[in-house]
Amino acid sequence: MRRAALTNVLNPKTVLFFAAFLPRFTTAANGPLWVQLLVLGLVFLIAGLVWDSLLGLCAGRLGRGLAQGRRTATAVNLVTATTFALLALFLLHSASAAVVA
């Protein structure tokens, strides 16, 4: 956990994101700038924590389901195959539209 936090704090993309986008959501009339940036940063942090936690819980549940039975594995394979088939159809449609135009 410490390594992940240190990596995110030292990540230049994260610093650039906060430096470029968060000031656009602040206004001098709403109070001190540092308080607004702190609140926006905390909202970002909490939203990321909730999302990553939900993703981890779902991945853990899916992993247990895959390890326990073939029914979940079959469902995952079916969803994956359907997704790839739809992507292939979309690609064919895009390619044929480009040829016609």
Side-chain angles (χ1 to χ4, degrees):
M1 183 78 164
R2 270 186 247 141
R3 187 187 314 170
L6 185 62
T7 300
N8 281 331
V9 168
L10 297 177
N11 185 352
K13 291 184 285 186
T14 304
V15 173
L16 285 173
F17 170 78
F18 282 108
F21 293 108
L22 284 186
R24 296 182 185 270
F25 298 100
T26 60
T27 306
N30 291 336
L33 181 63
W34 70 271
V35 173
Q36 294 178 54
L37 290 176
L38 180 66
V39 169
L40 288 171
L42 287 173
V43 168
F44 181 82
L45 181 84
I46 291 169
L49 179 66
V50 168
W51 173 253
D52 289 343
S53 297
L54 287 172
L55 192 62
L57 289 171
C58 290
R61 187 172 198 156
L62 181 64
R64 281 192 304 277
L66 288 171
Q68 289 177 355
R70 296 194 48 81
R71 190 173 187 186
T72 305
T74 302
V76 169
N77 285 336
L78 183 62
V79 168
T80 303
T82 304
T83 302
F84 281 130
L86 289 173
L87 287 171
L89 289 172
F90 179 73
L91 182 62
L92 285 171
H93 176 64
S94 296
S96 66
V99 170
V100 172

